[in-house]
Amino acid sequence: MRRIAWVLAVIMSVTLIMTGCGKKDSASVVKDLNDVADKLESKTGAYQGAGTMTLYTGEQPQEYKVEVWYKNPSYYRISLANVQKNITQIVLRNDEGVFVLTPSLGKSFRFQSDWPDNQGQVYLYQTLVKGIVADDNRQFVADKDSYIFDVAANYQSSALVRQKIWLNKKTYEPKEVQVSDSEAKVVVDVKFDKFTFNPEFAADSFDMQKNMASQGASENTVAQVDENGNPLPAAETQEGAQAQASAQLGDFGIIEPGYTPEGVKFKDSNKVEDSDDHAVLLRYDGIYQYTIMESRPLDQAVSLAPGTGVDLGFTLGLLTGDEQQTLTWMSDGLQYRITSANLPLSEMMEIAASMQDQAGK
């Protein structure tokens, strides 16, 4: 009987050991994630992902098709296609700087910034890994196919408090990210349909001109000529057509934000007289004083002063200034600027998000 009991104990011990094999705890997964992050920093580090991002920051949810490309050391290409408006913007970083492109309108904004270094982006793999590794109080569970982490959010908006991250058990590829506010309400949800480590990118994948041309407006099939009947160079033809299209779009009205900080009231709005870009100025007063400038720039390419990149979800903004700060961003061919000496960045970001689903009045 003792021998039988001993044999049973051995069998049970072996069974428990075998059952435990293949199961990972939080610490071992974090160790593996550090190894994956190190590989991304290597000479051949790269990834490519695609999915759907839904923002719940305005009056109505805004859905975007997202494509994310990364190549070491600091090349990024993020395509954000607004499903409702059928407008695509591309955020691009290469050796020349950071660009925000709207190919269909022939518009490009360029600025000098260290984006996305030290600035969290919910659709960037490095940001998700850093969030998991940095939180010593991380919560961890595993289901059949995924490792699920619940960790503190580390984004520019103080309204984003927690994030829940699903990772593929076998490859550690991201499957979904949900970012929540202080009331546990999901504000941002990203679902990845595809994600690949170490893809092969073409040599010009992160070139600005290439990205402008690949998704630009439909080509004009009629040859353009000057006053003497001579064909115009393709570049002049394209720029002239885009400038004419911008002029024809004309007045866009006044776009009012759907959100106003508590303790602030709308003061007045005025159209800037004799402005070719149809500029509009809105003023707000109260606890915070700020202005919103809206315009439709005629220039196809605009270079902005160096500043800090700000992730607005639907696009990348630029924060400039010290005592008086200005947040600038581009959407649907329009340029917006919020300027204030005392309005916090988090409030600027919420105002910007609330203007996405507003039409001109």
Side-chain angles (χ1 to χ4, degrees):
M1 291 295 294
R2 289 181 179 178
R3 184 173 182 178
I4 293 173
W6 179 81
V7 171
L8 289 174
V10 170
I11 292 173
M12 290 179 65
S13 299
V14 172
T15 301
L16 289 172
I17 293 173
M18 293 301 293
T19 302
C21 289
K23 288 188 175 181
K24 292 189 175 184
D25 59 8
S26 175
S28 60
V29 174
V30 168
K31 181 179 181 301
D32 290 345
L33 288 175
N34 276 317
D35 292 339
V36 174
D38 289 342
K39 290 178 181 177
L40 290 177
E41 296 299 321
S42 68
K43 186 176 181 180
T44 59
Y47 63 77
Q48 183 175 9
T52 301
M53 175 175 68
T54 306
L55 304 179
Y56 299 94
T57 50
E59 294 180 0
Q60 299 293 330
Q62 293 286 318
E63 189 174 292
Y64 297 82
K65 294 297 181 183
V66 182
E67 288 185 2
V68 184
W69 298 1
Y70 162 78
K71 181 180 179 182
N72 188 65
S74 57
Y75 294 163
Y76 292 88
R77 179 189 182 277
I78 293 95
S79 172
L80 297 163
N82 187 309
V83 175
Q84 288 88 350
K85 297 182 179 181
N86 195 27
I87 292 286
T88 297
Q89 284 196 323
I90 297 174
V91 179
L92 190 73
R93 178 177 173 177
N94 56 29
D95 293 334
E96 299 174 358
V98 179
F99 298 84
V100 178
L101 314 175
T102 310
S104 62
L105 300 175
K107 299 283 188 179
S108 67
F109 280 44
R110 182 176 74 90
F111 51 88
Q112 297 300 320
S113 172
D114 62 356
W115 176 91
D117 300 342
N118 303 317
Q119 297 159 31
Q121 312 283 150
V122 66
Y123 37 71
L124 295 183
Y125 187 77
Q126 295 95 322
T127 298
L128 304 181
V129 171
K130 287 179 182 177
I132 293 171
V133 172
D135 191 350
D136 293 332
N137 297 316
R138 69 185 77 90
Q139 299 176 26
F140 171 83
V141 295
D143 62 18
K144 182 180 178 181
D145 302 312
S146 306
Y147 294 123
I148 306 167
F149 286 92
D150 190 328
V151 297
N154 184 25
Y155 299 103
Q156 290 169 310
S157 173
S158 58
L160 305 179
V161 177
R162 302 288 299 178
Q163 57 183 341
K164 198 171 183 179
I165 303 167
W166 285 258
L167 301 176
N168 184 292
K169 267 189 174 182
K170 295 181 179 179
T171 62
Y172 294 119
E173 297 167 2
K175 298 174 66 176
E176 185 175 0
V177 186
Q178 290 182 348
V179 189
S180 306
D181 60 17
S182 58
E183 298 179 351
K185 178 185 176 182
V186 175
V187 180
V188 184
D189 180 33
V190 180
K191 291 183 174 69
F192 289 93
D193 303 321
K194 297 183 293 184
F195 196 94
T196 306
F197 289 111
N198 304 317
E200 290 291 333
F201 291 115
D204 57 0
S205 292
F206 300 90
D207 179 75
M208 192 276 281
Q209 295 296 341
K210 173 67 174 179
N211 279 278
M212 284 292 286
S214 63
Q215 298 186 28
S218 59
E219 296 182 3
N220 192 335
T221 58
V222 179
Q224 302 294 306
V225 297
D226 61 17
E227 64 273 14
N228 298 317
N230 298 316
L232 287 171
E236 292 183 18
T237 299
Q238 183 180 14
E239 289 176 4
Q242 290 167 345
Q244 184 178 4
S246 294
Q248 289 175 347
L249 288 173
D251 193 342
F252 54 84
I254 298 176
I255 299 175
E256 298 179 1
Y259 168 78
T260 302
E262 187 175 350
V264 173
K265 291 185 178 181
F266 172 73
K267 186 175 181 180
D268 57 34
S269 63
N270 296 284
K271 292 189 176 183
V272 180
E273 293 184 5
D274 301 324
S275 61
D276 294 334
D277 57 3
H278 307 283
V280 177
L281 182 67
L282 292 77
R283 297 194 298 173
Y284 292 80
D285 202 355
I287 296 177
Y288 307 121
Q289 300 82 43
Y290 59 92
T291 62
I292 301 176
M293 176 71 80
E294 306 167 357
S295 63
R296 192 193 302 279
L298 295 180
D299 293 334
Q300 303 303 305
V302 178
S303 291
L304 302 177
T308 301
V310 178
D311 178 25
L312 299 176
F314 56 90
T315 191
L316 184 70
L318 181 71
L319 185 68
T320 55
D322 295 317
E323 292 185 5
Q324 181 164 278
Q325 292 189 312
T326 297
L327 177 65
T328 304
W329 74 97
M330 182 175 66
S331 179
D332 298 352
L334 301 181
Q335 178 178 291
Y336 300 86
R337 295 173 182 256
I338 300 178
T339 301
S340 176
N342 64 351
L343 183 66
L345 175 59
S346 59
E347 295 284 9
M348 288 185 175
M349 295 172 68
E350 191 159 353
I351 292 169
S354 74
M355 300 178 75
Q356 266 302 94
D357 53 4
Q358 301 295 321
K361 300 178 181 178

